[in-house]
Amino acid sequence: MTTMGIIGAGEVGSQIARAALAHGYQVVIANSRGPETLRGLLAELGPSARAAHAAGAAAAGDFTVVAVPLRAVNDLPVAELAGKIVLDTNNYMPWRDGHFDVIDSGEKTVLELRQEHLPTSRVVQAFTHIQAPRITTAGRPPGFPGRLALPTSSDDPGAANFLTYIPRGSYPELLHRRATNMSDSDLRAFYLRYIEALNAHKFDGMDEFIDDRTTLNGEPATRDDLIAVQRHDVDAVPDLHWELKELLFDGDRLAARLVNTGTPAQTWLGVPPTGASFEITEYAIYQVRDGRFVHMTALHDAGELLRQLTA
């Protein structure tokens, strides 16, 4: 079961907790005064919620909501939030937060400052355009007339995409306006994460990389179709491994040369397992839009692969 860490138990944090619990999440929530002061809220939230200090909530969460104001001196648990997706709900209010000259001058945004405070986290701004009570009352199912959407913002396409897969219905849909172009360095980092996920056989996380609807070798496909193929291959070849040898970029397209290796343990491509291993070169071409693959092409020498499997 997924755990949401929440730092901040005020109106926004407590409402997000209620929405998360309604969708089967576990919640670990913290405030600035200590876990013992949250007994009343926990009694309302029920057994799937518990209280902790901020560091404990950050450490326990598979991802974390930060529902506290931005401060000049960072007091968030940086180490416990390292590598995690952080949803920042903060709106800049000078009367409450004090003045930040870089924000007032337009030099930086609140999101950029929060990202500087959490340099090893993947920060997304969310829930900043809605009054707290409406988080649990304004949600409507997909297709409902007048359904609300909430804008989100992030420089990390993968983290932003993650938001679209948080189950919704008891709160308005999150809508991220993602950059249409990714730099070469962004594409490289994105693709390396994709290859890492493939080699770890983490197919449940493919929604970060593959669009809902895409094409494979020119044929329409859904993400579930592609995941089914990947799972089938790994079921037959448990040690299937992709090694990146070369990566080239052209705008929103990238081309990769990889070496694939493995030893089938089950019948694969119509060939029963013989203990023979294979090593083949794959050439792959992708188009990335809104931070995910929308066109995928993969080519290899099928005849050479069969020759190695039957040798």
Side-chain angles (χ1 to χ4, degrees), residues 19 23 28 70 74 82 85 105 125 142 168 187 193 199 238 252:
H23 281 90
V28 181
L70 186 71
N74 182 35
I85 292 174
S105 67
Q125 195 171 52
R168 47 204 176 276
L187 283 171
R193 291 200 307 274
N199 284 325
D252 62 354

Side-chain angles (χ1 to χ4, degrees), residues 213-288:
R213 294 189 175 277
T214 184
T215 64
L216 177 61
N217 296 333
E219 296 295 328
T222 67
R223 180 174 55 248
D224 289 343
D225 293 335
L226 298 182
I227 292 174
V229 171
Q230 293 169 340
R231 289 187 185 278
H232 171 75
D233 288 342
V234 168
D235 285 344
V237 189
D239 62 346
L240 183 57
H241 183 81
W242 292 260
E243 182 179 354
L244 179 63
K245 293 295 187 180
E246 190 174 5
L247 192 58
L248 301 174
F249 309 97
D250 181 16
D252 62 354
R253 298 175 185 272
L254 60 89
R257 180 171 63 88
L258 309 105
V259 172
N260 302 342
T261 57
T263 305
Q266 300 177 17
T267 296
W268 187 52
L269 304 179
V271 179
T274 64
S277 299
F278 65 87
E279 178 178 314
I280 59 166
T281 300
E282 175 185 343
Y283 297 94
I285 301 172
Y286 309 84
Q287 184 177 14
V288 179

Side-chain angles (χ1 to χ4, degrees), residues 39-105:
R39 291 193 186 98
L41 178 62
L42 292 179
E44 175 200 339
L45 295 179
S48 293
R50 64 181 177 88
H53 293 286
D62 296 297
F63 64 98
T64 301
V65 174
V66 172
V68 296
L70 186 71
R71 303 189 189 282
V73 177
N74 182 35
D75 59 356
L76 292 175
V78 176
E80 288 79 6
L81 292 172
K84 294 187 177 183
I85 292 174
V86 174
L87 312 187
D88 180 22
T89 72
N90 180 59
N91 280 310
Y92 176 50
M93 301 179 187
W95 56 266
R96 179 196 65 187
D97 308 336
H99 282 277
F100 289 77
D101 291 340
V102 291
I103 296 178
D104 294 338
S105 67

